[in-house]
Structures are given as structure tokens and as C-alpha cells.
Amino acid sequence: MLSEKHHIHHRTKKILSYILSFFVMICTITVSMCITIKSGLLNPNIIESSMHKGNYYEYRLGILNKGIEDLLAESGLPKDLAKDVVTDGMMSIDTSSYISNALKGKPVAFDTSALEAALVDNVTEYLKKQGITLDEKLERYISDIASQAKAIYKSNISFEFIAPYMSFASKYDSIIKSFTIGSIAVIIICTALLLLLHRRKYRAVRFCTYGVLAGSVVTACISLLAKKALIGVISGEGAYYNVMRIYISDAFMQGMYVAIGDIMMCGILIFITYVMKRKVI
């Protein structure tokens, strides 16, 4: 009779342990995916890195130079006067500033004095070589060309994805924080209950390890599947779509890094379990 009661008690305790381990797994997945979204999809550095990898600045520079060349041609000036007026480095710095200020809700401003000065110098030098004497009216005309070039430059310092990104971030940022804090609290509660449930504490740690390990594997799978699915949705061609594919890929790679971190933590927990078992704790 006593043996049967002991068997029922042991089986009940085991079932409860697996249930608590399951909750640890669900919460581990939730925390890991929240970290993935926060450090990946909602990370401005990932966007900027993707723009560099996808040659977005070179693409924009080509459009910009074409605009300035057309402006010069309309004014009866050679297109090659646009050479070296704008560099991809200049665009990279100003676009980064644009993204940073836009995300912080600050006004976006650019210093285009170097661009205007370079274009004015190029045009002035060309006219002097043609034997044309500059007067006040001609200087104003050259200055007007530089101002139009400045407007073309400013219109090209942008990134189409920033507006939907800001909308997504403002909508889900607080939700992600709430889910993260809530899930961590549940993991702590489940761990405490497992420790209370088992006289030998290494068994409680072992069941926690089951949950964390399963959660890390599922996190890795979700990240890979989500990356594949979202990249598959992007069917367009061109620099912008190429940047978006790189962005999605790099963002969900954070999930793989989080999963690896979870697995390393499992290794630590397994070691702790081994030490505790050896000491019969």
C-alpha cells in the first residue's frame, strides 16, 4: 500500500515537473524571440549595416549624380562638372544622421555647404577656362544652380523603410518589454516551484534545463522559418529590395545567436546538475 502511494506520488511529481518544464520552454521561446525582435528587427544598426552591404549608398549616389548632371546640362554646362561634388561617404554620414534623428523625432538637417562650394568652384573654374568673365549676375546664376543641386541632394537622403519601421517600433516596443518581463517572472516562479517540488535539487535544475534547451531549439527553428518566409515575400528587384532581404536575414540571425546563448546556458545548467548530483544535493 505504501509502495503504491509512493509510486503515485512520484508519478504526480514527475508530471508536474514536466508541466513546469513546458512553461519554462514556452517562456524561454517568448523571451528569446523578444530579444531577437529587439536586437534584430528593431535595431537601427541592422538597417544601416544592411544599407552598406546592399550597396544602397552607391545606388542613391548614381541617382543623385544623374540629377545634378541633368541640372548642369539644362544650364548648358558639361555634365562632368558634377564629378566629386558628392561622395558615397557624404551620403552615408547624412543618411545615418537622417535615420537617427527621424527615430528620435528630431528635425532632420544637413550641412550642404561643402557640396555647394565644390559645385560653384567647378562651374567657376570651367567658365574661367572658357574666357568668360564673371559678373554679379553670373555669380548669382551659379549660386542658384548650387542651390538646386542642394535640393536634389536633400531629396535623396532618405530610406523608404523608416516610416513603417517607426510605426512598427512605436506599436510593439512596449508590448515586447511587457512580454519579456512577464516571461522572465514565470520562469523564476517555475524554477522556484521545481526547487520546492524536489528534495534533491539537481532534479529541479535538470527539469529547468529541459525547458531552456527545448526553447532554444524552437527559437532557432522559428528564426530560420521566419527569415525564409519573409525573404520569400520580398519579390521586387533593385537596391532597396536587396537591402530589405539583407535586413531580414541579419535581423533573424540574432535569433540564432540568442539560441546559441541559451544552449551555452544549458551547458552550464548541465554542469551544475552534474556537480549537485555528485554531491547528492
Side-chain angles (χ1 to χ4, degrees):
M1 186 71 178
L2 187 63
S3 176
E4 186 180 345
K5 284 184 178 180
H6 176 76
H7 179 71
I8 292 170
H9 174 73
H10 178 73
R11 187 171 61 183
T12 304
K13 187 163 67 173
K14 197 171 183 179
I15 290 169
L16 286 173
S17 296
Y18 276 116
I19 291 171
L20 291 170
S21 182
F22 176 78
F23 280 115
V24 170
M25 180 193 75
I26 295 298
C27 292
T28 298
I29 295 168
T30 304
V31 171
S32 298
M33 291 310 301
C34 285
I35 293 171
T36 299
I37 293 169
K38 188 69 178 175
S39 63
L41 291 175
L42 297 182
N43 186 351
N45 293 329
I46 298 289
I47 296 177
E48 292 185 40
S49 172
S50 302
M51 291 168 75
H52 280 288
K53 291 178 183 178
N55 298 320
Y56 184 79
Y57 297 115
E58 289 83 347
Y59 159 73
R60 276 292 185 182
L61 182 60
I63 295 173
L64 175 57
N65 281 333
K66 179 71 167 53
I68 296 175
E69 286 172 2
D70 290 344
L71 172 65
L72 291 169
E74 288 171 8
S75 305
L77 296 166
K79 291 183 177 181
D80 60 5
L81 294 180
K83 186 179 179 182
D84 298 329
V85 170
V86 182
T87 64
D88 57 349
M90 185 189 299
M91 291 197 71
S92 174
I93 291 169
D94 282 338
T95 303
S96 178
S97 174
Y98 160 78
I99 292 172
S100 177
N101 288 333
L103 294 177
K104 292 175 183 176
K106 295 181 179 179
V108 179
F110 311 113
D111 181 8
T112 58
S113 56
L115 179 153
E116 294 176 83
L119 186 58
V120 167
D121 288 345
N122 286 357
V123 174
T124 301
E125 187 179 349
Y126 168 77
L127 293 175
K128 285 181 178 179
K129 285 181 180 179
Q130 300 304 309
I132 299 172
T133 303
L134 299 181
D135 56 17
E136 188 177 339
K137 184 178 179 181
L138 191 54
E139 285 177 350
R140 281 202 305 269
Y141 182 69
I142 295 170
S143 178
D144 182 60
I145 292 173
S147 295
Q148 290 181 60
K150 176 179 74 174
I152 294 170
Y153 178 79
K154 286 185 174 181
S155 69
N156 278 277
I157 303 299
S158 62
F159 186 57
E160 299 91 322
F161 181 63
I162 291 301
Y165 170 88
M166 290 174 66
S167 175
F168 181 84
S170 62
K171 186 175 181 180
Y172 292 105
D173 192 49
S174 59
I175 295 173
I176 288 168
K177 287 179 182 176
S178 300
F179 268 90
T180 302
I181 294 169
S183 296
I184 290 172
V186 172
I187 290 172
I188 292 171
I189 292 167
C190 289
T191 303
L193 289 173
L194 282 167
L195 288 169
L196 289 171
L197 195 60
H198 292 274
R199 185 171 59 84
R200 294 186 175 177
K201 304 307 178 188
Y202 73 85
R203 289 176 178 169
V205 176
R206 186 172 63 194
F207 278 104
C208 284
T209 306
Y210 292 158
V212 174
L213 183 59
S216 63
V217 172
V218 174
T219 297
C221 292
I222 291 173
S223 297
L224 288 172
L225 291 171
K227 181 177 79 169
K228 186 177 179 181
L230 289 174
I231 289 176
V233 170
I234 303 171
S235 57
E237 296 297 330
Y240 172 74
Y241 294 104
N242 190 34
V243 168
M244 292 309 300
R245 289 187 192 94
I246 295 169
Y247 164 68
I248 294 296
S249 178
D250 288 355
F252 280 103
M253 272 305 295
Q254 303 305 308
M256 297 302 296
Y257 299 144
V258 172
I260 291 168
D262 290 341
I263 290 169
M264 289 175 67
M265 185 168 67
C266 286
I268 295 169
L269 289 173
I270 289 168
F271 176 74
I272 291 170
T273 303
Y274 172 77
V275 172
M276 292 174 77
K277 187 175 181 181
R278 291 274 292 180
K279 293 183 177 180
V280 197
I281 297 176

